Amino acid sequence: MRRTVAGTNLGNNRDSTRQHNLSTVLGLVHSMAGVSRAQLTRATGLNRSTIAALVGELVHLGLVVESDLDQAQQHGRPSIMIEPSPGALALSVNPDIDVVSVALVGLGGHIVNPVRFHTVRAPSVAEVVNIVTAIYTGMRTSLPARHRIMGVGLAIPGLVDPVDGTVIEAPHLGWRDQRLAALLSEALKLPVTAANDAVAGARAQATFGAGRDVRDLVYLYGGASGIGGGVISGGRLIRGATGFAGQLGHTHVRSGGTACTCGSYGCLEAEVTREELIAAVGLPAGERENLEEAVLEKLQDEAASQELREIIDRQIALLAIGLKSVVNLLNPSLIVLGGFLRILVRAAPDALGEALRTPGTRGPRESVAIELAPLGEDSILVGAAELAFEPLIRDPAGFLRPQDDDAGARVPSA
């Protein structure tokens, strides 16, 4: 009896080790968007034959492909390159007050055929489900054979229940206690994972963007629905006791200020808004993705840009107040700004950094760097895909087995 139990335990341990190693290798291939066998050997400490066996299993699962030899290797034999399979995809969804963004995203963070469906008003949950279902149906019919959708990542401009993905509140969309993740899963027959949009963006920046290999960073995203944030501390995403950490848009920046959707006054997202910039440049509704270029172009005309310059100067000053509080509380080494917040830095490249620092003093604001996220919504869509890929990367073989057996959709949440 003891021998049987010991053998069972040994088998379980082997399975657990194999799962861990598969996860590690797939995670490295994913985050590096391609890596050589030699690099995998060095990064994992596993021997070459073990790496070859793990890669072979991931190839069989359709998650990675082996390609040409790594010509950059300068010593020893050239090493085979391992790259994410183009057939492993996630569907990313990001609804906002004037657009529903949908895209297929591959392992490695590569966005495929993004679609931006513009709306004349904030869409309802039912409308989002219908829009996404129609777009996904068109995408799926045009996919090559053997391509598969691993799941759906849903990035919401609001509070999301970390247990079941329910949208607790998305005030700018007018949503409260909405089961969008569950409804979308039922419509698409796919597992759906939901999280706040800025938190999704922070994950993308930490994995692929400006925050890669940075252990302490703050990501701040400004969109149509306000300002959100995500915090990476010690290399880990801060979630908080109930999963709602990172509501940096509600940092207080002005006494007696504008009323905020949270019930307070003078919050960052109530004082620093995209709509004020849109109104200052007179941008039509269908061209709002061109806001950054429109603002920078108008600033070139000194006669026409006085009001715009005053708005930008005021928003920079208020953003600096908010960031001072964030830096004093969290002591990040990097702040990444995305969405319309990029405009403030590009319009006045040195102003925000100067406003953050106090001459002659030392402290957390002394060495923090500020970088810009890529233009557009890519960080949010890539981050949404990370939500969908997380269970796959955690247990590649175990995740794919239920799909092969038609076990049905699941609805996890971040």
Side-chain angles (χ1 to χ4, degrees):
M1 178 67 69
R2 286 196 188 119
R3 283 196 298 272
T4 303
V5 172
T8 301
N9 288 339
L10 180 60
N12 289 340
N13 289 338
R14 286 174 176 169
D15 287 344
S16 176
T17 300
R18 170 180 155 275
Q19 174 186 329
H20 170 77
N21 290 341
L22 274 177
S23 172
T24 300
V25 170
L26 181 58
L28 287 169
V29 175
H30 169 61
S31 63
M32 299 177 72
V35 62
S36 71
R37 278 195 185 180
Q39 288 173 309
L40 287 174
T41 301
R42 289 193 296 270
T44 62
L46 300 172
N47 61 46
R48 288 186 296 178
S49 61
T50 300
I51 289 294
L54 292 169
V55 169
E57 184 168 356
L58 292 172
V59 169
H60 177 73
L61 291 170
L63 298 176
V64 305
V65 294
E66 295 181 298
S67 60
D68 295 336
L69 299 179
D70 180 12
Q71 302 300 329
Q73 185 173 326
Q74 297 179 353
H75 305 287
R77 293 180 300 175
S79 183
I80 294 173
M81 290 295 296
I82 316 301
E83 297 177 343
S85 169
L89 300 165
L91 184 73
S92 292
V93 179
N94 175 217
D96 214 324
I97 62 174
D98 55 0
V99 67
V100 178
S101 298
V102 182
L104 293 175
V105 181
L107 284 170
H110 177 61
I111 293 181
V112 183
N113 62 350
V115 175
R116 288 174 58 81
F117 187 94
H118 292 276
T119 60
V120 296
R121 53 172 173 75
S124 67
V125 166
E127 287 169 338
V128 169
V129 172
N130 290 336
I131 290 167
V132 174
T133 301
I135 293 173
Y136 171 68
T137 300
M139 289 178 170
R140 185 180 57 187
T141 57
S142 63
L143 282 178
R146 301 187 67 81
H147 281 52
R148 64 193 306 178
I149 312 297
M150 302 298 172
V152 182
L154 180 58
I156 300 293
L159 292 178
V160 179
D161 190 315
V163 176
D164 63 6
T166 296
V167 181
I168 296 174
E169 186 178 31
H172 297 276
L173 289 167
W175 298 354
R176 183 184 291 272
D177 296 326
Q178 295 291 326
R179 298 175 58 253
L180 176 55
L183 294 173
L184 205 53
S185 182
E186 292 168 7
L188 303 182
K189 306 303 182 205
L190 289 168
V192 177
T193 308
N196 173 266
D197 57 356
V199 170
R203 293 179 61 136
Q205 289 301 315
T207 305
F208 301 108
R212 186 171 182 170
D213 298 325
V214 177
R215 293 184 58 78
D216 296 275
L217 72 96
V218 170
Y219 174 70
L220 210 60
Y221 175 78
S225 293
I227 296 175
V231 179
I232 307 290
S233 180
R236 293 181 176 273
L237 178 70
I238 292 181
R239 300 180 183 274
T242 55
F244 301 140
Q247 300 299 305
L248 303 181
H250 298 297
T251 304
H252 185 263
V253 297
R254 188 162 76 92
S255 298
T258 305
C260 182
T261 56
C262 71
S264 187
Y265 293 85
C267 292
L268 178 62
E269 76 164 38
E271 301 291 341
V272 177
T273 69
R274 189 187 75 151
E275 305 321 303
E276 193 173 23
L277 295 174
I278 288 173
V281 296
L283 201 62
E287 300 179 17
R288 290 179 177 177
E289 58 264 35
N290 301 320
L291 176 61
E292 186 166 321
E293 291 78 6
V295 169
L296 296 177
E297 181 179 346
K298 186 166 184 176
L299 288 174
Q300 301 302 313
D301 183 352
E302 294 186 9
S305 65
Q306 181 60 34
E307 178 188 2
L308 177 60
R309 173 57 66 185
E310 291 174 357
I311 291 172
I312 288 173
D313 290 345
R314 177 171 50 79
Q315 290 199 359
I316 288 173
L318 292 168
L319 177 59
I321 293 172
L323 290 181
K324 285 179 181 179
S325 296
V326 169
V327 171
N328 287 334
L329 284 170
L330 300 170
N331 188 26
S333 58
L334 177 66
I335 296 170
V336 182
L337 300 178
F340 79 85
L341 297 179
R342 287 171 40 97
I343 297 171
L344 304 181
V345 177
R346 292 198 63 195
D350 300 321
L352 187 59
E354 291 173 357
L356 270 178
R357 295 173 179 84
T358 303
T361 63
R362 299 194 64 183
R365 300 199 299 268
E366 183 182 28
S367 59
V368 65
I370 299 173
E371 294 196 25
L372 302 184
L375 180 64
E377 314 303 319
D378 286 4
S379 291
I380 304 299
L381 293 172
V382 171
E386 288 296 285
L387 304 174
F389 283 139
E390 184 174 25
L392 169 69
I393 294 173
R394 185 168 56 241
D395 182 8
F399 179 87
L400 290 175
R401 193 175 301 117
Q403 288 195 356
D404 291 335
D405 296 338
D406 294 326
R410 293 159 286 162
V411 190
S413 65

